[in-house]
Amino acid sequence: MSRHHETKFRVVTKLQRWVVNPVSRLLPFQTLLETTGRKSGLPRRTPVGGRRVGREFWIVSEYGEKSQYVRNIQANPSVRVRDKGRWHHGTAHLLHKDDARTRLKSLPRMNSAAVRAFGTNLLTVRVDLTD
């Protein structure tokens, strides 16, 4: 990762972790991805912008495998997604060969613009919903 991308990553992730995410998690209809912490074993809820298509939920991670929720998925792919105020269980899959930039065109516009602007290593995540 270039020095510019590393600085961008550090600034944006600190802002998200300490300001944006805590506020977003409180909003009743914010989409959330709940993973299990790979070290703590505790539930970790991350605001995400994605879209449900049938029995699948699609997300694009802006930092790929550097994203904490992606690292948690690698350790345990069982997740929950809160979409439109309802929780759904599922299994997450990291799709390294999917064209994440093209995928963003089918996801919510505002979030996709932010992911494109701040992201440095885009990675598509598909959650197969089981309920």
Side-chain angles (χ1 to χ4, degrees):
M1 187 180 283
S2 73
R3 178 179 223 140
H4 170 74
H5 285 153
E6 186 63 34
T7 301
K8 185 176 174 180
F9 170 78
R10 287 177 192 228
V11 169
V12 172
T13 56
K14 284 198 185 311
L15 181 66
Q16 287 174 331
R17 183 175 186 174
W18 300 109
V19 179
V20 176
N21 289 356
V23 172
S24 295
R25 279 192 289 268
L26 298 175
L27 302 173
F29 284 94
Q30 168 66 48
T31 302
L32 297 176
L33 176 69
E34 184 180 84
T35 59
T36 301
R38 63 193 177 282
K39 295 178 184 177
S40 69
L42 298 172
R44 299 296 183 202
R45 292 181 176 174
T46 305
V48 294
R51 175 164 284 141
R52 183 177 180 158
V53 179
R55 299 200 52 80
E56 300 172 336
F57 194 86
W58 293 87
I59 306 163
V60 173
S61 167
E62 59 197 330
Y63 296 113
E65 292 184 2
K66 286 190 79 172
S67 294
Q68 297 301 313
Y69 74 86
V70 170
R71 296 168 95 187
N72 289 342
I73 288 168
Q74 288 173 319
N76 181 354
S78 294
V79 300
R80 291 193 322 152
V81 176
R82 186 177 77 180
D83 181 38
K84 298 178 183 165
R86 292 192 58 228
W87 285 101
H88 306 276
H89 290 85
T91 303
H93 304 276
L94 306 179
L95 305 177
H96 294 91
K97 293 186 179 184
D98 190 71
D99 183 347
R101 289 204 175 273
T102 299
R103 179 71 57 194
L104 283 171
K105 294 176 184 176
S106 69
L107 300 180
R109 186 174 302 174
M110 293 296 288
N111 183 76
S112 293
V115 170
R116 276 192 294 277
F118 298 117
T120 57
N121 187 24
L122 306 183
L123 175 63
T124 302
V125 178
R126 184 189 76 227
V127 178
D128 295 335
L129 303 172
T130 57
D131 63 351

